[in-house]
Amino acid sequence: MANRARHSGPISRTRLGSQGDRTAGRGPAFGFSGEKGFSPRNLKYMRAFAQAWPDEAIVQEALAQLPWYHHLALLDKLPDSETRRWYAAKAIEHNWSRNILVMQIETRLLERSGQAVSNFPMTLPKPQSDLARESLKDPYRFDFLGLTDEAQEREIEAALVKHVTEFLLELGAGFAFVGRQVLLDVGGDEFFIDLLFYHLKLRCYVVIELKGGKFKPEHLGQLGFYMTAIDRQVKHEQDNPTIGLLLCKSKNKVVAEYALGDKSQPMGIAEYKMLESLPAELQTSLPSIEQIERELMGDGAG
């Protein structure tokens, strides 16, 4: 077939001419402006697209904003239209490349979003409480660090800063990195915050503390102390109250909920997941950090 389409721009839903109808079995098809003819593979995906999105209004208003190769990823990797629509909306909102979209699907972003244990409904006004809850996930995936579960807190912390681009991607939209081991002088005593961020949508600082073991209620005392110090020493008048996020290797959800029950500061508790320990012969087959970074920073296939 001549002039096979190689198109990565936004798509529109149209009827192909008689040639398209004959090739696609007289079902609904999709055309790209100015293109003539399509490969059998593309025609198969066009038919699948039409079956997945029978509502033309949705296609025209939202899905048409995504490049074709994004749609191939949605069709290949997701089973139902509701899940596809959620990822499509996020891809449009955050301008994800196809590679980033695939990564978010494979790391189950939808299932993890908004799942951190928090006290936001009791400590923040709406709609900020809803946005704060949606901004946190559980668990956080730190596979990109290439570290295993045996890694210590400082090792993880250093690796997160070294690969801050990927860390920000995992944290989600709106997070801006402020610093690591941020010094606080309180009454002449020095304290150091593991990681400090500012959330551009929530308009507040976010203190992140890493714990290498299982969650303990006393961890929140230290986190709350750091949050108070940031509110009094760093926060500007127009900023919203600081939010705290405690990342631990594991947690008992009931214990976490009890520990947050009497806290007046907005806090969240979530787990983080590293690479599981693998035999040496399998470790050598894994992509390197540099390879992952090149893939994430590349412009992908769309």
Side-chain angles (χ1 to χ4, degrees):
M1 182 176 293
N3 300 320
R4 288 188 177 182
R6 294 183 179 273
H7 196 283
S8 60
I11 66 171
S12 60
R13 180 174 182 140
T14 62
R15 296 286 292 177
L16 288 178
S18 58
Q19 178 184 1
D21 282 339
R22 285 196 303 272
T23 310
R26 300 187 180 279
F30 302 84
F32 302 115
S33 177
E35 298 286 357
K36 299 179 181 179
F38 301 90
S39 69
R41 181 172 178 271
N42 264 331
L43 288 169
K44 181 189 75 172
Y45 277 119
M46 290 173 186
R47 178 180 287 265
F49 184 98
Q51 293 170 344
W53 305 109
D55 187 342
E56 188 165 346
I58 295 177
V59 175
Q60 295 292 350
E61 293 174 11
L63 300 180
Q65 300 178 50
L66 284 177
W68 177 237
Y69 287 105
H70 284 58
H71 286 289
L72 300 191
L74 294 172
L75 290 170
D76 278 339
K77 295 184 174 295
L78 296 171
D80 61 87
S81 59
E82 184 178 351
T83 306
R84 291 185 188 118
R85 188 178 295 115
W86 189 90
Y87 280 100
K90 291 297 181 182
I92 294 168
E93 179 183 358
H94 304 306
N95 196 29
W96 287 342
S97 70
R98 180 185 179 278
N99 289 337
I100 298 301
L101 171 62
V102 169
M103 187 203 70
Q104 300 288 22
I105 293 172
E106 291 180 346
T107 59
R108 298 179 173 271
L109 177 63
L110 173 58
E111 290 91 332
R112 297 186 292 128
S113 295
Q115 296 304 306
V117 179
S118 75
N119 61 359
F120 296 153
M122 287 76 73
T123 56
L124 295 172
K126 282 184 173 290
Q128 190 185 13
S129 59
D130 292 333
L131 179 57
R133 182 185 60 80
E134 294 166 5
S135 298
L136 302 188
K137 61 188 71 167
D138 189 24
Y140 285 85
R141 300 294 299 268
F142 293 164
D143 313 58
F144 59 86
L145 298 179
L147 302 175
T148 66
D149 283 336
E150 289 74 32
Q152 300 300 306
E153 291 174 22
R154 289 293 174 261
E155 186 180 4
I156 297 171
E157 183 185 313
L160 289 172
V161 174
K162 181 180 179 182
H163 303 287
V164 69
T165 300
E166 292 80 5
F167 186 29
L168 288 171
L169 183 64
E170 174 61 11
L171 286 175
F175 282 89
F177 180 63
V178 177
R180 172 201 176 199
Q181 289 296 302
V182 177
L183 172 64
L184 296 172
D185 186 318
V186 180
D189 290 344
E190 293 184 346
F191 301 89
F192 296 88
I193 295 176
D194 286 348
L195 296 163
L196 183 62
F197 290 82
Y198 190 86
H199 199 286
L200 301 175
K201 293 183 178 180
L202 290 169
R203 294 293 174 186
C204 69
Y205 285 96
V206 180
V207 174
I208 297 181
E209 280 294 298
L210 287 169
K211 297 299 177 185
K214 188 175 182 178
F215 168 74
K216 297 179 181 179
E218 53 263 36
H219 292 158
L220 296 184
Q222 181 186 34
L223 179 62
F225 173 79
Y226 291 155
M227 294 167 62
T228 298
I230 291 296
D231 278 341
R232 295 186 182 182
Q233 297 185 10
V234 182
K235 172 182 172 294
H236 295 288
E237 184 177 345
Q238 64 269 28
D239 291 330
N240 289 315
T242 299
I243 287 175
L245 173 59
L246 188 79
L247 294 178
C248 49
K249 187 176 292 186
S250 64
K251 71 178 185 303
N252 181 313
K253 185 176 180 180
V254 177
V255 172
E257 290 173 346
Y258 272 50
L260 288 169
D262 64 347
K263 297 294 183 292
S264 60
Q265 295 169 295
M267 298 177 176
I269 304 167
E271 297 178 359
Y272 62 83
K273 299 297 182 184
M274 313 294 289
L275 282 174
E276 295 182 1
S277 297
L278 296 176
E281 62 271 16
L282 292 181
Q283 291 183 6
T284 58
S285 68
L286 292 174
S288 66
I289 292 294
E290 289 71 22
Q291 288 173 314
I292 295 172
E293 287 177 335
R294 285 197 298 270
E295 180 73 9
L296 288 171
M297 296 301 290
D299 55 9

